[in-house]
Amino acid sequence: MTFHEINEVRFHVERMRPHEGPPVVLVHGLPADSLASYYFTIAPVLAQAGLDVVMYDQRGHGRSSRPTSGYQLERFIDDLEALLDELGVAGPVHLVGNCFGGAVVFGLAARRPERVASIFAIESEPATSDWMVKMVANLTRGRTELVLEESIAEISATYGPHMARLARTAARFLTTTSLADDIPASGEILAPEDFGRIQCPVFAVYGANSEMVGLAAEMEKALPDCRSAIVPDQEHFVLAEAPEQICALILDWLAEQGVAVSPTAHAADRRAS
């Protein structure tokens, strides 16, 4: 565990690099997510495969500091770019983005295409005007509903106590910071004609029962170099619910991109899936 002062925020960073392999940076979602969603799922297997796995708690999340304001999308993109500089990751990097983390990595690819080797997007999409409409609705609903005990009770009954704890964390975040107001004020929103700036190969994964599954075909059509996969019997939380399948897809994807992946780790992951 290390901490880095970047853009006036103290960032919690975890790095697994047993063999000094090629760096792969994992970017989580919001508002209750953290690097733990990777640490306890796919990160150890990726490290076992010989990859230099970098995870960090985004501003306001996990063990990183929580400023009361400054949560526009471009701030999150700034943080990712500055973190790569801080860690000395100079060459093009492979990025994995879950949910909102996908919008962040797509944003960096559009802003600095020379810095991104590939993107593996989980239940996510680039930040467009349509994305913004959904984000505003979700953040507004979260700020008004997650403070209600009956909402927490319903989440606990449906998804279990862990999800209920995450919902309480989200409620605290949304009521003590300007996140829900800052996201709609974001500046780096992509129009369809901007998608051509995302030149790197993209692999997009969605749960078959997710509300976002329709994006699979849209992403393949809109992005210059994209293909997708749909994980059967899964909803939005496919990373948490089907980590073995996600990990196998990532390892296959990175191998296709010319990344050296340990055959032993890859075979073990396939047996687990």
Side-chain angles (χ1 to χ4, degrees):
M1 179 195 310
T2 60
F3 290 89
H4 296 267
E5 296 286 339
I6 301 170
N7 296 334
E8 302 182 346
V9 174
R10 186 171 186 254
F11 285 92
H12 169 217
V13 180
E14 294 280 356
R15 193 168 189 178
M16 300 178 177
R17 45 178 181 173
H19 305 295
E20 300 290 338
V24 177
V25 182
L26 315 180
V27 186
H28 68 75
L30 58 77
D33 207 356
S34 71
L35 66 78
S37 63
Y38 290 117
Y39 190 88
F40 293 107
T41 56
I42 66 174
V45 180
L46 297 181
Q48 184 186 4
L51 304 173
D52 174 5
V53 180
V54 179
M55 302 163 283
Y56 68 104
D57 286 327
Q58 297 207 74
R59 58 173 56 223
H61 295 74
R63 295 181 179 180
S64 293
S65 59
R66 178 172 292 179
T68 57
S69 61
Y71 294 98
Q72 296 84 356
L73 174 62
E74 54 265 33
R75 296 290 189 94
F76 291 93
I77 301 171
D78 292 343
D79 295 337
L80 174 55
E81 185 171 7
L83 178 65
L84 296 178
D85 292 338
E86 175 78 6
L87 298 178
V89 180
V93 65
H94 299 278
L95 300 174
V96 176
N98 183 42
C99 196
F100 177 79
V104 175
V105 303
F106 279 121
L108 181 62
R111 178 197 289 182
R112 297 289 303 276
E114 76 281 1
R115 300 207 68 168
V116 183
S118 77
I119 289 173
F120 189 96
I122 307 168
E123 282 284 313
S124 58
E125 61 184 303
T128 63
S129 57
D130 288 342
W131 171 88
M132 182 62 75
V133 170
K134 290 180 282 189
M135 284 294 297
V136 170
N138 289 336
L139 291 170
T140 301
R141 185 169 58 251
R143 186 162 56 177
T144 56
E145 293 183 4
L146 293 182
V147 297
L148 304 175
E149 283 302 319
E150 53 265 37
S151 296
I152 300 298
E154 181 179 352
I155 292 170
S156 182
T158 305
Y159 299 105
H162 176 66
M163 289 301 296
R165 287 192 293 272
L166 292 179
R168 290 188 186 278
T169 298
R172 286 194 296 272
F173 195 171
L174 290 168
T175 55
T176 60
T177 73
S178 61
L179 173 68
D181 298 315
D182 289 347
I183 291 295
S186 298
E188 293 200 33
I189 303 302
L190 301 178
E193 57 267 26
D194 298 322
F195 280 18
R197 290 157 47 194
I198 302 173
Q199 292 292 323
C200 67
V202 175
F203 194 99
V205 178
Y206 302 94
N209 301 330
S210 168
E211 294 180 355
M212 301 180 70
V213 68
L215 286 170
E218 294 180 22
M219 294 273 283
E220 289 188 359
K221 183 178 180 180
L223 294 174
D225 184 359
C226 176
R227 76 175 192 266
S228 62
I230 297 173
V231 182
D233 303 319
Q234 293 298 321
E235 299 184 1
H236 180 65
F237 300 106
V238 61
L239 173 62
E241 298 296 329
E244 296 89 356
Q245 292 167 272
I246 294 298
C247 202
L249 288 169
I250 291 176
L251 290 174
D252 278 342
W253 171 248
L254 292 175
E256 285 186 30
Q257 306 311 308
V259 176
V261 175
S262 166
T264 302
H266 202 166
D269 187 73
R270 282 195 173 281
R271 287 194 298 271
S273 63

